[in-house]
Amino acid sequence: MMRSSLHTVGIHALMAVLVMLPSAAAAVGFNYLYIEASEGNSSGGHSAIQFGDDIYHYQHVDSGLIRLFRQEKTGFHFTYRYLQNRPMHLSRIEVSEDTFDLLKDQFKWQFLTQERQFKRLDDLHKERIFIRHLLQKATAGQAIVDADGASVLRLKGVGLFYPEPGHQLQHTDSKLTKQESLSAQNLRQKVEQRYGPDFLQSRRAMIESQIKTLSPSHWPAINPDSTGEKFPAAIYSFTERYSDYLTALFAIKALIEAPPLQADALLLTTQPAFKVSETERPVLQELRNDLEISLVKALDSNRPDWGYAVLVNMARYIAIDASLQSGYWVFIDDFAENSERVEPDQYLKHSAQIRILTGDAKTALNQVRLSAASRQRLSEAEYSQIEMAANGYIELLNGEQHHDFRYNGEKALPTKSIGFPGGPVPNLTPEQLTTALSALDNIENSLLETLKQSYRYDLLSRNCVTELFRTINQALLKPYRFGEKIADLEVLTIKESEQRLGGYVEIPYNFVPFVAYQSVLDRYRVTQSRDLDSYRGLELAKLTASQSDPITALRESNILSSRLYQYNPDDALFVFFTDDHVLLRPVFGLVNAVAGIGQSVYGVFSWPLDSGKNLQSGATGILMSLPELFFFNMRKGSYKYLPFNQLIHADLLED
């Protein structure tokens, strides 16, 4: 009997051990990342923290504040290690699940809180401009459109069908224009069949009446503790309400008038690659029916931005109809209006990379098309993917023809906008508008001052490194936030950090990224460290493995003979790479400084032609070369047109 009991206990103990083994093997941890110094953003080095696939890092923004950003890990690695060509160092810190959740939740909370706070600041800025716009119209008879107002007072999606106020309509050839109008007329008939022939007119009259009764928003007092626990409330601002109403009026107008799309809203091509296949035809027909149903429902929706949804669905419906009629895919232009446009003299030296980018874009487009055709179904989200892939591919094809093209900037939904037109406006007296404008000035200034106090950037005391550790410390104190008042927060922070992370990093002495990284290695519970090479470093290692001779090393030491790097005009001029030549670094740095001086001198004479671009680039080159004289590497070069697929086969993106 005793033996049987012992046997049972032994089995239970063994089972308990087996249950615990996977848990022990799958230790919880997060990554601390250090990115080496280089020209460009965070030139003195950068730091970040990673939880799973999410990477958080602080950046200095133009307003003089420091903000927390969140990126998916592959995009983060591609930006820093590949495009910016910067080596990265990763340390894995083992923690309990409780600590992991505390840290992850705090960074997520901080990110979302800042997003809401800065959106409120943007909304206040727009509100002030809009009320000033109305006040000018009420007192002078017309609004004075300044550059600031023209850039922020926009109606999203309206530019698909209507031009900027004061500009002429621009359409494509007459045959396509007629077909587009017929498609729009068909949609209007579907709406009238569902809601009656007078629906659109009555809906328009109701919206115009609602615009007349609009009044400025009541903005709550600003909480001076911008980092407090209370999440900032969302406010549906006066300007947003007016924009949504006005956009809805244009959506109704487009359905009534059935105009064709603006010429710059369409992307047309008759290349064989864009031919609609027989298997794609029924898929497009089904999607056209889905868009029709969505559009009709949206017209009677309670969502505030239904007008924008109607305009996008209407534009896509017309594009799909044109695709079915012509036999070639027709797409809506979905590039953001501030997308970067590059000229031939900027990219012709990188023609090999442009060809790879074009091939990758074509492959991505074909894959999503084949997937939809094989399933005989295409959702609106999947169509957005096709639309984005096609937009990118068509622009790159322009590059192959040595034309200007837009580089990056594709969006999931078309956003073509126009400035606020002279339409119906709220019935507000100049006195009401003046009072509202004065209140807004006070609230905006108060919020800006509050954000400056909490997020003011300082090179030594409030930078990308110090804010990471400050957020970590806030997370460690979170369990005590609602208890009794703590006498000495610093002592408690040190105790919690030592217990949960293995040690404590003093913020005042670790404001330099590479110093902070060494402190993490020395004090936190680091279980693994990895040095992740830059793109050029990876390619150079492959090259030297197959051609390990002095000639190869000499050839790749400078931009004149290198096969791995073509000079990118976004980089300040330099001659020698100094990251892999420690002993020669001061000599190479001196040559680089001379090159910067030469470019600066040339920039003085070329100022009238390039608006000081060469002078600025030369000055940057001198500044970046000075640390190299003291054995500190800054200059690495960058790869603007590097294909994202270069990252796919890398084994350096694991958690």
Side-chain angles (χ1 to χ4, degrees):
M1 192 72 176
M2 176 77 70
R3 198 170 168 185
S4 176
S5 298
L6 290 172
H7 179 69
T8 304
V9 170
I11 291 175
H12 287 168
L14 179 61
M15 290 178 65
V17 171
L18 291 174
V19 168
M20 292 175 67
L21 278 176
S23 175
V28 180
F30 65 91
N31 295 336
Y32 184 91
L33 307 173
Y34 161 55
I35 300 95
E36 290 189 14
S38 181
E39 182 185 342
N41 292 334
S42 307
S43 57
H46 196 45
S47 297
I49 193 167
Q50 177 183 347
F51 304 98
D53 288 341
D54 291 329
I55 292 180
Y56 294 90
H57 59 116
Y58 283 92
Q59 287 267 20
H60 178 210
V61 293
D62 291 340
S63 59
L65 304 178
I66 187 164
R67 290 188 60 175
L68 182 61
F69 291 87
R70 180 173 66 188
Q71 279 185 262
E72 196 272 333
K73 68 177 182 181
T74 53
F76 185 86
H77 279 256
F78 184 63
T79 297
Y80 284 96
R81 291 179 51 218
Y82 285 70
L83 297 182
Q84 294 187 18
N85 193 39
R86 299 165 73 166
M88 185 184 296
H89 306 275
L90 178 152
S91 286
R92 181 79 168 174
I93 301 158
E94 186 176 322
V95 293
S96 66
E97 287 190 17
D98 176 52
T99 300
F100 180 86
D101 290 340
L102 275 176
L103 293 169
K104 182 180 179 181
D105 291 347
Q106 181 64 32
F107 275 91
K108 183 178 180 180
W109 174 269
Q110 181 76 352
F111 169 73
L112 295 176
T113 299
Q114 278 198 9
E115 287 287 292
R116 180 64 61 82
Q117 290 169 335
F118 281 94
K119 182 185 182 305
R120 180 174 289 189
L121 186 64
D122 289 341
D123 288 346
L124 280 165
H125 181 62
K126 288 180 182 178
E127 195 99 316
R128 185 166 54 80
I129 290 174
F130 177 49
I131 292 178
R132 190 179 68 201
H133 172 89
L134 292 176
L135 184 60
Q136 290 171 348
K137 195 168 186 178
T139 55
Q142 63 177 1
I144 301 171
V145 182
D146 55 20
D148 201 8
S151 65
V152 300
L153 301 181
R154 311 287 298 177
L155 297 180
K156 194 169 61 171
V158 177
L160 295 167
F161 292 94
Y162 296 98
E164 285 281 353
H167 290 67
Q168 294 294 320
L169 292 167
Q170 295 181 352
H171 300 311
T172 51
D173 62 89
S174 57
K175 182 179 179 181
L176 182 58
T177 296
K178 183 178 179 181
Q179 178 58 47
E180 291 176 39
S181 293
L182 289 173
S183 300
Q185 290 170 25
N186 180 59
L187 284 173
R188 185 185 66 221
Q189 291 170 4
K190 297 294 183 182
V191 171
E192 291 174 347
Q193 288 173 11
R194 172 73 178 269
Y195 300 113
D198 299 327
F199 172 78
L200 291 174
Q201 294 291 357
S202 62
R203 191 89 159 101
R204 178 160 66 180
M206 182 181 70
I207 293 170
E208 288 175 346
S209 175
Q210 289 171 321
I211 287 175
K212 297 290 184 183
T213 61
L214 279 175
S215 60
S217 303
H218 173 70
W219 292 87
I222 302 302
N223 179 6
D225 181 16
S226 64
T227 59
E229 278 296 308
K230 190 174 181 181
F231 194 69
I235 295 177
Y236 187 28
S237 71
F238 176 45
T239 310
E240 285 178 316
R241 283 179 284 149
Y242 179 75
S243 298
D244 285 338
Y245 279 140
L246 214 54
T247 302
L249 284 181
F250 271 103
I252 292 171
K253 181 181 180 182
L255 283 167
I256 292 173
E257 297 177 349
L261 288 157
Q262 288 284 283
D264 63 353
L266 277 176
L267 296 177
L268 306 170
T269 179
T270 56
Q271 288 200 10
F274 288 96
K275 191 171 180 62
V276 177
S277 68
E278 289 305 313
T279 53
E280 289 175 331
R281 185 169 289 275
V283 176
L284 285 176
Q285 290 170 338
E286 189 70 25
L287 177 61
R288 182 183 59 182
N289 295 338
D290 291 343
L291 289 172
E292 180 184 290
I293 293 169
S294 296
L295 184 147
V296 173
K297 286 183 178 179
L299 278 163
D300 200 31
S301 169
N302 290 324
R303 57 182 284 186
D305 64 341
W306 65 264
Y308 173 58
V310 166
L311 288 167
V312 170
N313 279 356
M314 188 174 174
R316 285 178 167 174
Y317 179 95
I318 292 171
I320 291 172
D321 230 10
S323 300
L324 292 169
Q325 293 291 330
S326 67
Y328 290 90
W329 283 81
V330 176
F331 294 101
I332 300 300
D333 185 340
D334 67 10
F335 269 86
E337 289 163 305
N338 61 350
S339 297
E340 179 186 7
R341 184 174 288 276
V342 293
E343 300 174 358
D345 62 341
Q346 295 175 281
Y347 66 79
L348 282 180
K349 290 183 180 179
H350 306 273
S351 56
Q353 289 184 341
I354 298 297
R355 283 195 297 272
I356 295 173
L357 285 170
T358 306
D360 288 349
K362 182 179 180 180
T363 300
L365 175 61
N366 288 339
Q367 285 176 345
V368 69
R369 285 175 61 183
L370 287 171
S371 174
S374 64
R375 292 183 293 103
Q376 287 292 289
R377 186 72 185 172
L378 187 62
S379 67
E380 290 184 43
E382 290 167 330
Y383 180 76
S384 287
Q385 292 179 343
I386 292 178
E387 189 177 67
M388 290 174 67
N391 270 257
Y393 179 44
I394 291 170
E395 285 295 315
L396 287 167
L397 287 176
N398 288 334
E400 288 198 337
Q401 300 300 317
H402 297 179
H403 298 311
D404 294 2
F405 70 91
R406 290 170 295 180
Y407 186 58
N408 294 326
E410 303 96 313
K411 299 180 73 68
L413 291 173
T415 57
K416 284 196 176 296
S417 64
I418 66 169
F420 279 18
V425 294
N427 283 332
L428 296 167
T429 65
E431 291 74 22
Q432 289 174 305
L433 293 169
T434 301
T435 301
L437 189 59
S438 177
L440 277 173
D441 285 340
N442 293 332
I443 294 172
E444 184 181 4
N445 290 334
S446 176
L447 177 57
L448 185 57
E449 285 304 312
T450 299
L451 295 180
K452 283 180 178 178
Q453 290 176 13
S454 300
Y455 308 127
R456 184 192 71 257
Y457 174 80
D458 185 273
L459 180 62
L460 303 181
S461 64
R462 200 181 287 270
N463 61 28
C464 68
V465 187
T466 63
E467 296 312 286
L468 274 185
F469 290 114
R470 193 166 279 120
T471 307
I472 288 173
N473 292 344
Q474 289 171 352
L476 299 179
L477 292 177
K478 196 168 186 178
Y480 302 93
R481 203 163 287 173
F482 302 106
E484 296 181 6
K485 190 173 181 180
I486 308 299
D488 195 331
L489 288 177
E490 185 178 359
V491 171
L492 181 61
T493 303
I494 295 172
K495 178 184 175 183
E496 285 293 307
S497 184
E498 289 174 344
Q499 179 180 337
R500 291 179 179 274
L501 304 176
Y504 177 69
V505 175
E506 300 91 344
I507 294 176
Y509 308 110
N510 289 278
F511 58 88
V512 179
F514 74 86
V515 173
Y517 181 66
Q518 189 60 51
S519 294
V520 167
L521 290 174
D522 294 340
R523 296 167 192 174
Y524 282 174
R525 194 179 297 112
V526 175
T527 58
Q528 181 188 19
S529 292
R530 301 171 67 186
D531 297 325
L532 311 179
D533 218 338
S534 65
Y535 171 73
R536 179 176 173 272
L538 291 170
E539 295 301 307
L540 190 59
K542 295 177 188 176
L543 191 63
T544 53
S546 60
Q547 304 176 23
S548 57
D549 56 86
I551 296 178
T552 300
L554 179 62
R555 186 188 69 210
E556 295 302 327
S557 67
N558 65 91
I559 70 168
L560 302 176
S561 59
S562 174
R563 296 180 184 176
L564 298 178
Y565 174 82
Q566 291 289 327
Y567 177 64
N568 177 8
D570 289 345
D571 299 332
L573 182 64
F574 68 103
V575 178
F576 287 104
F577 295 97
T578 62
D579 49 346
D580 46 357
H581 296 281
V582 179
L583 295 178
L584 291 174
R585 191 169 291 166
V587 178
F588 286 178
L590 182 60
V591 176
N592 290 339
V594 171
I597 293 171
Q599 188 178 22
S600 298
V601 172
Y602 173 73
V604 172
F605 297 99
S606 65
W607 184 302
L609 302 175
D610 63 10
S611 302
K613 184 178 179 180
N614 269 300
L615 182 60
Q616 181 181 3
S617 181
T620 302
I622 297 170
L623 185 64
M624 292 295 105
S625 300
L626 290 178
E628 296 172 339
L629 301 178
F630 301 94
F631 294 95
F632 187 79
N633 168 246
M634 293 286 288
R635 199 70 61 82
K636 295 175 176 67
S638 62
Y639 292 83
K640 182 171 184 175
Y641 304 105
L642 196 65
F644 184 79
N645 283 349
Q646 293 279 355
L647 196 65
I648 290 177
H649 302 296
D651 63 344
L652 305 173
L653 299 178
E654 301 169 0
D655 291 342

